Amino acid sequence: MFESAEIGHKLGKKEYKREVPALRAALLNAQYDLGELKRFPVLIIIGGVDGAGKGETVNLLNEWMDPRHIHTHAFGPPSDEEAVRPPMWRFWRAMPPRGKIGIFFGSWYTDPIVRRVMDHTSDAGLQQHVDEIFRHEKMLADEGILLIKLWFHLSMERQKQRLETLEKDPHTRWRVTKTDWRRFKHYEKFRQVSERVLRETSTATAPWIVIEGTDPNYRSVAAGRILLELMRNRITTEKARVTEKSPRITTPASLPKLDNSGLLSGMNLKQRISKGRYEKQIEKLQGDLNLLSREKKFAHRSTILLFEGMDAAGKGSAIRRITAALDARRYHIVPVAAPTEEERAQPYLWRFWRHMPRPGLVTIFDRSWYGRVLVERVEGFCPPADWTRGYSEINDFEEQLMHGNVVLIKFWLQISKEEQLRRFKQRETTEFKHFKITDEDWRNRKKWGPYEDAVCDMVDRTSTEIAPWTLVEAEDKLFARIKILKTIIARLEAGR
């Protein structure tokens, strides 16, 4: 894969000076059109051999275009804030919105490659990372991101010459570190591992493009040409879709009907608990949860509590019984509603990644990322292809949380259609509950059947060993609160 990048490409100074002005102007115009269109973001991944001109290329792209609309991020070793969260958190936080260009100098490729070369992980471990990257980038492409991956290459001989040249010049000596020379000793293994990773992650929607880094003129113009061509092609396509008023093309959805209706219909909603027994149990359970939250081991992991359920099923009242047992400084509630303009400009999961808690803290989601396979599915807010792929993307997301030392506890609160009607009417006639009932609640009620179908598919496809769903019989709010608290305590104790 690297052979064509060791030929010795060169570009003379005269040709370089002749071509660059037109190239810069074309890149600026493309960047302007990207910003005007606001249909997709551009994410440029920069990787390659030390000394091959990666940093110089990033600086040049910022010089040739308007840097105010380029989000450049250099990812070195994780900061303290990044190290305590799932590894992908820092990349999600830096995602460019639609209409902007993002440059990742270092990316989700760096750590897996370096760890394998230094024998900190096995071939199987590397393959797991490659598979995760493959799925992650497919999701980004499906979300509309134009992903441009540039790998700057040098042969072993030319890398050595480049590092020695930089080191001899007092003005560039700072660019060469002990780490660069240490990695140079492993050149052949870096080449072998990198070629494998690039080969397995070069896809039709996110191909790797290898650029020879020996000659700076050739390197710069090649990178500029590639960026211009890919941006222009995509802009032309998107403009045509705007003119034709046609939606973004997505893979046709195919979701076979599963015999899973018993997941909800089989729940015993008649379960009750007496007021006296409830009051005794709730106080004890809240005390147990409080003590658990103050244990030293609790400080080394994050906790996410996720609540979904039919309208008026009692999610809010259950959450209040949980927070009553916690230190207000240790929890954060995220009420999920329709996405804001800022959130719509990003990939779907971005707005949830940004709320990932630090170790020792609890984040409570009142509704969640499952909106994609529930309300967006039922109401037709996204194409079938988007919510169909949502199941696997959610499972990948939750697996990343688990690997990031997050305890994820998911609840679905179920009530009968008759009980929902009773609670709706009570809200309408109770003055301090008026705000809880809206026209949207009544509209959703008319689609009870499609929502139940969506819930059954959701539970069936996303209740995994690492992140199982807990179905809560919520016809009796007292019973539901006790079951929820018991589940939280059991899951936290199991993770001690």
Side-chain angles (χ1 to χ4, degrees):
M1 192 169 184
F2 295 137
E3 283 76 9
S4 62
E6 295 181 355
I7 294 174
H9 297 89
K10 288 187 178 181
L11 186 67
K13 289 183 179 180
K14 289 184 179 180
E15 186 179 355
Y16 177 80
K17 289 182 178 180
R18 184 170 60 250
E19 182 162 351
V20 165
L23 180 58
R24 292 183 64 173
L27 282 168
L28 272 170
N29 287 333
Q31 185 185 21
Y32 175 79
D33 288 346
L34 173 72
E36 283 288 298
L37 202 59
K38 289 184 179 178
R39 293 267 290 187
F40 66 96
V42 176
L43 179 57
I44 306 170
I45 302 294
I46 302 290
V49 174
D50 293 330
K54 295 174 290 184
E56 292 92 326
T57 303
V58 171
N59 290 337
L60 200 63
L61 291 176
N62 276 280
E63 179 184 336
W64 284 0
M65 293 183 286
D66 189 340
R68 295 173 299 173
H69 304 295
I70 299 177
H71 300 176
T72 303
H73 299 272
F75 294 101
S79 66
D80 291 343
E81 183 182 23
E82 294 167 342
V84 296
R85 288 184 168 88
M88 292 301 293
W89 178 78
R90 60 178 180 156
F91 302 117
W92 273 97
R93 194 171 60 153
M95 286 288 176
R98 292 178 186 176
K100 303 289 185 181
I101 297 173
I103 300 178
F104 283 6
F105 186 11
S107 65
W108 41 79
Y109 286 93
T110 308
D111 188 61
I113 290 175
V114 172
R115 286 178 60 81
R116 181 65 195 103
V117 172
M118 298 302 178
D119 291 320
H120 295 155
T121 190
S122 62
D123 273 341
L126 175 64
Q127 189 60 51
Q128 181 180 345
H129 281 296
V130 168
D131 293 342
E132 290 171 354
I133 289 171
F134 182 90
R135 295 194 300 271
H136 173 66
E137 292 184 349
K138 182 181 184 303
M139 182 269 297
L140 294 182
D142 287 339
E143 286 290 312
I145 290 179
L146 174 57
L147 193 57
I148 301 174
K149 302 188 295 190
L150 304 179
W151 185 274
F152 294 87
H153 182 70
L154 289 174
S155 66
M156 186 174 185
E157 180 183 356
R158 286 178 176 142
Q159 184 188 24
K160 183 179 180 182
Q161 291 173 353
R162 171 73 168 160
L163 293 176
E164 288 176 342
T165 300
L166 290 172
E167 201 169 49
K168 287 178 182 178
D169 188 337
H171 299 292
T172 58
R173 188 176 297 152
W174 59 273
R175 293 183 180 178
V176 182
T177 66
K178 291 181 180 179
T179 301
D180 295 330
W181 283 116
R182 188 163 58 250
R183 290 183 180 178
F184 174 74
K185 293 179 180 179
H186 300 274
Y187 178 90
E188 287 300 335
K189 192 167 184 180
F190 263 110
R191 178 186 174 113
Q192 176 189 0
V193 173
S194 298
E195 187 166 10
R196 171 187 168 184
V197 171
L198 266 62
R199 184 176 65 251
E200 295 188 22
T201 58
S202 190
T203 63
T205 53
W208 273 106
I209 302 166
V210 181
I211 299 174
E212 185 174 6
T214 305
D215 179 62
N217 291 344
Y218 169 80
R219 179 185 68 220
S220 302
V221 169
R225 286 173 178 169
I226 291 164
L227 177 58
L228 176 62
E229 179 182 356
L230 295 176
M231 286 177 62
R232 269 292 160 218
N233 289 346
R234 180 65 179 275
I235 288 169
T236 300
T237 301
E238 293 293 342
K239 282 185 174 180
R241 289 174 186 158
V242 171
T243 303
E244 298 168 7
K245 295 183 179 180
S246 58
R248 175 166 56 85
I249 296 175
T250 55
T251 305
S254 178
L255 187 64
K257 179 61 181 173
L258 301 175
D259 185 15
N260 54 21
S261 59
L263 287 173
L264 295 183
S265 62
M267 296 177 67
N268 180 10
L269 300 182
K270 295 181 179 180
Q271 297 184 79
R272 299 286 190 274
I273 187 172
S274 67
K275 187 67 179 289
R277 188 179 171 197
Y278 165 78
E279 289 178 348
K280 289 180 181 179
Q281 287 196 27
I282 192 77
E283 186 173 354
K284 180 182 183 303
L285 291 171
Q286 287 177 330
D288 291 344
L289 179 57
N290 181 272
L291 291 174
L292 269 174
S293 71
R294 287 190 279 160
E295 287 187 358
K296 289 183 178 180
K297 290 185 178 180
F298 190 86
H300 298 295
R301 61 187 175 184
S302 309
T303 303
I304 293 177
L305 307 178
L306 182 155
F307 286 85
E308 294 282 358
M310 291 296 188
D311 293 332
K315 296 183 295 296
S317 63
I319 291 171
R320 287 195 296 275
R321 271 60 185 187
I322 296 167
T323 57
L326 299 173
D327 186 329
R329 296 166 295 182
R330 292 193 174 188
Y331 69 82
H332 174 57
I333 301 174
V334 181
V336 176
T340 64
E341 287 296 326
E342 180 188 22
E343 291 167 342
R344 276 196 288 266
Q346 295 281 359
Y348 178 73
L349 288 172
W350 177 84
R351 63 175 176 150
F352 305 108
W353 269 105
R354 69 197 300 206
H355 293 297
M356 292 301 106
R358 292 174 60 90
L361 302 183
V362 179
T363 294
I364 304 172
F365 283 95
D366 184 354
R367 300 200 184 276
S368 67
W369 44 89
Y370 282 96
R372 168 132 296 185
V373 296
L374 292 176
V375 64
E376 292 193 15
R377 166 183 168 171
V378 175
E379 303 295 339
F381 292 155
C382 69
D386 285 351
W387 63 257
T388 301
R389 64 181 168 84
Y391 300 108
S392 61
E393 291 174 1
I394 286 170
N395 287 336
D396 285 343
F397 172 43
E398 293 178 353
E399 184 175 4
Q400 291 174 34
L401 298 184
M402 186 270 291
H403 290 318
N405 204 26
V406 174
V407 177
L408 174 61
I409 308 175
K410 306 185 300 190
F411 296 101
W412 174 265
L413 277 64
Q414 181 67 14
I415 56 175
S416 66
K417 196 173 182 180
E418 295 73 24
E419 176 63 15
Q420 185 189 63
L421 179 60
R422 187 190 70 79
R423 294 183 186 183
F424 276 10
K425 289 182 176 180
Q426 184 185 52
R427 288 179 175 184
E428 284 187 326
T429 57
T430 305
E431 186 173 352
F432 64 86
K433 291 185 178 182
H434 277 173
F435 74 96
K436 290 186 176 183
I437 187 72
T438 65
D439 291 340
E440 184 178 350
D441 294 325
W442 288 108
R443 284 196 301 271
N444 290 343
R445 179 174 166 78
K446 293 178 181 179
K447 297 183 179 181
W448 183 278
Y451 268 106
E452 281 202 327
D453 290 343
V455 172
C456 289
D457 284 341
M458 174 195 76
V459 174
D460 197 50
R461 296 173 185 276
T462 63
S463 192
T464 62
E465 183 179 359
I466 60 172
W469 277 100
T470 297
L471 303 181
V472 180
E473 300 82 353
E475 198 90 344
D476 176 36
K477 290 185 179 182
L478 305 186
F479 176 87
R481 294 167 192 168
I482 295 299
K483 181 172 181 176
I484 289 168
L485 280 168
K486 284 182 176 179
T487 302
I488 294 171
I489 291 168
R491 288 287 304 278
L492 292 178
E493 287 180 334
R496 274 176 170 171

